[in-house]
């Protein structure tokens, strides 16, 4: 009787996804799509491994990873495993989340682990995306072993043929992109569509009351949407709009676009801004219409597929694969050619904007028309974008590669054949060595800056934190110090400040640049005072010119003898602070040491009752009569609701010869300093949230006083305070180049962190 050989169980097809980007990135449409593709492959019998790094399109997309690894810095240059249902994401922890800052040391570690997985996991297919140098080695190493390579392509940037030299299969998301590349470059790609999971992107119920815009970047048509939103605010204020941020900052786009339109705005009354989120069911449940006026080559537009599955009609640009995605469930618009050119900020004329405006209004006013488009959207969603249809297309596309069962081969034979010295590779597990030289270099430079006594002419800002200020912060600057030190223009560029500056000695060299400015007003040959006419004592040195009388030479340091000589007495008008009309508020008052500061303060009590910051320059070595002293200022402050906070911008004088001091700086004598006064503790306790937010922004952005800003933010919102610390890299639990996630619902703080902050009483609530 013949013996039967037991049947060998058919093994699962093995697929290795490998590239440095993190697939848990909620700010990247490509990452979200590929992640869902891999989940579908696992559900259909694939054995999938993922190798990535902690590289994100934007730090706002780090929520899912931070749920499992709040302290990434403690794992620097090590491999971590993030669990994602049936998937495990193995990642190298990089110093920065930014792909451009991925160091050669990190590329070496990642590449070594990739090669190790090729030889130990023995995949049947390697799949990846990315066109940087190390990415090309992904395909090269796989081909060296005879492993088929697939590539995911969902944008219009891959115009050079080098990247696909070792690629067997190019998978794309739309027929439009496949056709474009076939015509322009010559390679063939296979469209499989988008992969949308209903549990996070399809709402159970729909209110259908808002016009929705997702990811307000210039490429996505943010300039067009701002113009539409502003027109709707004027003509149809009843229509609600919602902007969901992803990798872009709506407030920055709004300020720049409205500035170019003629009147800069910090907010629009009809727009609600929603932070980046990994659960879009909320925005889609509120959406009636989706606006997607993309201006670059949009391969497909993930949000369009999501909208169709939710039965939401779309207003789109007639570009790339977008018309293909919505079919008859949307309206496509052709914008002027200038719109499609970088930096994608061209302004439409009223006539060019009108068709888009009319279509948006029609979807809100014509219910029969709207319901027709809703039905078409549901139909397109079911036929084109249902995940089961997309999965079938993907499985069919990968099948020819998988059938080769490359993982069963002995790789050494293929390697010897291609190697010039006939040598095979060696599968050795790499040693993950930590390299903190870049961190130390950056930290050293930061320490040098922060350790200096003099204030640098820069703002302490980060793109990773959104302040959401209402209205402008109004600044009165009595000697145009912000302009002279180069701070006024970058402050104005933020859109958060309105600066009124006085230049009594006409020291500003190009005053005409501020004529007609909505953010910086400059008044020459005038200054704050008691409102009465005064005498300006013009001196040889303009910086000594003052309404205060210069001291005689025998009472001045020798270095001031020449500059302090009077050359003319000129009449000048002073302005009492309380007589100024048209100010929304007076948030920050800056006084110089060459004016009658006490007269300014005594004649500004009405405004100063609500002022958030008082900054006064105090000379330690007197040069003029009646200069304000620290004692006088403190006495006035204590009686008028202010308290001493700190010295700032201390000026030193060196007694070394000038050339020697340039070579070996040594300035020991303190000449003057700014004295900062904050509201008294009693006043501080009564400040509203918006006032605290403004003061926190001033202190953080203009003075680098992040500790005081944090305390103010903690009084408003514990979550926002923690987000602030993360954005400014002040938490020990977040690696230094890491940014904060806008979806605070996933943020956690452990007891050691709270103890480190010394605020167990207030911030431990964040643990829950």
């Amino acid at each position: 009787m013949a013996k039967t050989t037991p049947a060998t169980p058919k093994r699962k097809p093995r697929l290795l996804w490998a590239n440095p980007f993190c697939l848990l990135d909620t700010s990247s449409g490509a990452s979200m799509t590929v992640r869902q593709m891999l989940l579908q492959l696992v559900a259909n019998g694939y054995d999938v491994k993922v190798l990535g790094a902690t590289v994100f399109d934007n730090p706002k997309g780090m929520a899912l990873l931070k749920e499992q690894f709040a302290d990434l810095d403690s794992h620097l240059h090590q491999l971590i495993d993030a669990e994602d249902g049936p998937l495990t994401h193995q990642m190298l922890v990089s110093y920065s989340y930014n792909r451009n800052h991925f160091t050669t040391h990190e590329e070496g570690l990642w590449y070594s682990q990739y090669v190790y997985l090729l030889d130990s996991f023995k995949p049947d297919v390697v799949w990846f995306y990315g066109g940087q140098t190390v990415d090309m080695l992904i395909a090269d190493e796989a081909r060296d072993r005879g492993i088929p390579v697939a590539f995911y392509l969902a944008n219009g940037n891959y115009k050079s043929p080098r990247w696909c030299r070792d690629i067997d299969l190019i998978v794309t998301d739309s027929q439009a992109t496949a056709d474009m590349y076939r015509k322009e470059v010559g390679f063939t790609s296979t469209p499989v569509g988008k992969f949308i999971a209903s549990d996070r992107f399809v709402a159970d119920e729909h209110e259908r009351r808002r016009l929705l815009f997702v990811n307000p970047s210039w490429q996505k048509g943010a300039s067009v949407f701002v113009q539409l939103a502003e027109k709707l605010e004027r003509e149809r204020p009843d229509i609600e709009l919602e902007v969901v941020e992803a990798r872009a900052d709506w407030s920055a786009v709004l300020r720049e676009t409205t500035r170019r339109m003629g009147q800069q705005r910090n907010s629009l009354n009809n727009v609600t801004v929603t932070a980046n989120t990994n659960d879009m069911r909320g925005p889609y449940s509120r959406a009636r219409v989706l606006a997607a006026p993309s201006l670059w080559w949009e391969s497909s537009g993930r949000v369009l597929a999501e909208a169709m599955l939710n039965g939401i009609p779309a207003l789109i640009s007639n570009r790339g694969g977008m018309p293909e995605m919505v079919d008859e469930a949307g309206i496509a618009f052709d914008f002027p050619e200038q719109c499609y050119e970088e930096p994608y900020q061209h302004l439409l004329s009223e006539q060019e904007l009108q068709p888009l405006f009319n279509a948006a209004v029609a979807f809100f006013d014509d219910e029969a028309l709207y319901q027709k488009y809703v039905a078409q959207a549901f139909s397109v969603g079911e036929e084109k974008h249902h995940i089961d249809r997309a999965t079938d297309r993907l499985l069919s596309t990968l099948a020819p590669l998988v059938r080769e069962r490359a993982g069963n081969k002995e790789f050494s034979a293929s390697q010897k054949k291609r190697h010039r010295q006939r040598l095979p590779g060696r599968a050795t597990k790499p040693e993950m060595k930590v390299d903190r030289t870049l961190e130390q270099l950056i930290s050293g430079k930061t320490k040098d800056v922060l350790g200096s006594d003099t204030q640098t002419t820069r703002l302490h800002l980060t793109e990773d934190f959104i302040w959401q200020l209402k209205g402008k912060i109004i600044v009165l600057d009595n000697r145009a110090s912000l302009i002279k030190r180069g701070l006024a223009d970058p402050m104005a560029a933020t859109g958060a400040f309105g600066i009124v500056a006085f230049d009594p000695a006409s020291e500003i060299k190009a005053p005409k640049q501020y004529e007609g400015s909505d953010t910086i007003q400059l008044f020459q040959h005038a200054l704050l005072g008691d409102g009465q006419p005064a005498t300006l004592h013009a001196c040889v040195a303009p910086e000594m010119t003052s309404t205060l009388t210069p001291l005689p030479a025998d009472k001045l340091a020798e270095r001031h003898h020449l500059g302090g000589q009077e050359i003319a007495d000129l009449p000048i008008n002073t302005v009492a602070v309380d007589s100024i009309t048209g100010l929304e508020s007076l948030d920050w008052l800056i006084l110089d040491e060459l004016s009658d500061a006490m007269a300014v303060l005594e004649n500004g009590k009405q405004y100063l009752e609500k002022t958030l910051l008082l900054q006064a320059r105090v000379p330690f070595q007197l040069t003029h009569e009646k200069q304000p002293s620290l004692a006088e200022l403190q006495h006035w402050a204590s009686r008028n609701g202010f308290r001493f906070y700190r010295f700032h911008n201390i000026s030193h004088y060196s007694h070394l010869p000038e050339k020697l001091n340039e070579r070996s700086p040594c300035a020991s004598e303190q000449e003057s300093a700014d004295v900062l006064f904050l509201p008294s503790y009693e006043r501080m306790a009564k400040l509203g949230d918006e006032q605290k937010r403004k003061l926190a922004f001033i202190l953080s952005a203009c003075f680098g006083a992040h500790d005081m800003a944090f305390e103010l933010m903690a009084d408003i919102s514990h979550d926002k305070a923690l987000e602030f610390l993360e954005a400014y890299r002040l938490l020990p639990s977040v690696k230094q180049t890491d940014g904060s996630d806008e979806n605070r619902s996933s943020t956690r703080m452990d007891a050691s962190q709270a103890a480190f902050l010394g605020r167990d009483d207030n911030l431990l609530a964040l643990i829950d």
Side-chain angles (χ1 to χ4, degrees), residues 483 503 508-517 520 522 524:
I483 295 177
D503 183 20
I508 305 304
K509 295 181 180 179
K512 288 188 177 181
Q513 63 182 301
Y514 301 110
E515 291 181 3
S517 172
I520 302 176
L522 177 64
Q524 290 196 297

Side-chain angles (χ1 to χ4, degrees), residues 112-171:
S112 296
Q113 180 64 11
Y114 166 64
V115 172
Y116 173 72
L117 285 178
L118 287 179
D119 292 335
S120 58
F121 179 53
K122 297 180 71 69
D124 298 310
V125 178
V126 169
W127 197 14
F128 76 107
Y129 62 55
Q132 298 196 33
T133 304
V134 75
D135 300 325
M136 296 184 186
L137 292 176
I138 296 171
D140 179 79
E141 286 290 350
R143 184 182 181 187
D144 190 52
R145 291 159 173 77
I147 304 172
V149 182
F151 188 92
Y152 180 67
L153 178 58
N155 63 50
N157 299 329
Y158 288 78
K159 300 301 175 65
S160 168
R162 167 60 184 91
W163 67 270
C164 58
R165 187 188 69 186
D166 301 314
I167 306 294
D168 298 281
L169 170 68
I170 300 171
V171 177

Side-chain angles (χ1 to χ4, degrees), residues 388-568:
D388 290 346
R389 315 281 184 275
T391 301
D392 290 342
R393 291 191 290 267
L394 178 61
L395 291 171
S396 176
T397 300
L398 290 175
L401 302 187
V402 171
R403 279 197 293 267
E404 294 182 24
R405 283 294 195 264
N408 292 341
K409 300 176 183 177
E410 178 56 50
F411 294 157
S412 61
S414 175
Q415 289 177 307
K416 287 180 179 180
K417 184 177 181 180
R418 296 190 67 206
H419 198 288
R420 295 297 185 187
Q421 307 301 322
R422 297 289 184 180
L423 298 175
R426 294 181 179 179
T428 57
K429 192 170 184 178
E431 181 181 355
M432 295 294 161
K433 295 182 179 180
V434 179
D435 176 19
R436 291 190 176 272
T437 54
L438 177 62
E439 177 184 1
Q440 292 163 0
L441 176 64
I442 294 175
S443 298
K445 289 183 177 180
T446 303
K447 185 176 181 180
D448 289 342
V449 172
L450 297 180
S452 173
D453 281 342
T454 58
Q455 176 186 334
T456 55
T457 53
R458 68 182 181 91
L459 296 184
H460 304 265
L461 296 172
T462 174
E463 296 179 355
D464 301 335
F465 185 77
I466 300 174
W467 285 92
Q468 296 179 324
L469 300 174
K470 296 179 181 178
K472 289 188 183 296
I473 296 169
I474 305 301
V475 188
L476 282 186
D477 186 350
N478 200 35
R479 190 90 178 192
S481 63
L482 296 177
I483 295 177
K484 287 188 289 186
R485 293 168 54 220
L487 280 170
D489 289 329
M491 286 170 61
T494 67
F497 293 96
I499 301 171
V500 180
F502 297 89
D503 183 20
S506 299
E507 296 174 87
I508 305 304
K509 295 181 180 179
K512 288 188 177 181
Q513 63 182 301
Y514 301 110
E515 291 181 3
S517 172
D518 292 332
T519 53
I520 302 176
Q521 297 182 55
L522 177 64
F523 297 93
Q524 290 196 297
H525 200 64
L527 77 164
L528 298 174
D530 59 7
Q532 300 299 315
T535 298
L536 185 69
H537 303 283
C539 297
V540 172
E543 63 271 16
M544 293 285 284
T545 297
S546 170
T547 54
L548 305 179
T549 304
L551 293 174
D554 61 350
K555 293 185 178 182
L556 287 173
E558 185 177 352
R559 60 185 177 276
H560 295 311
H561 283 180
L562 177 61
Q565 293 181 11
E566 288 190 59
I567 57 176

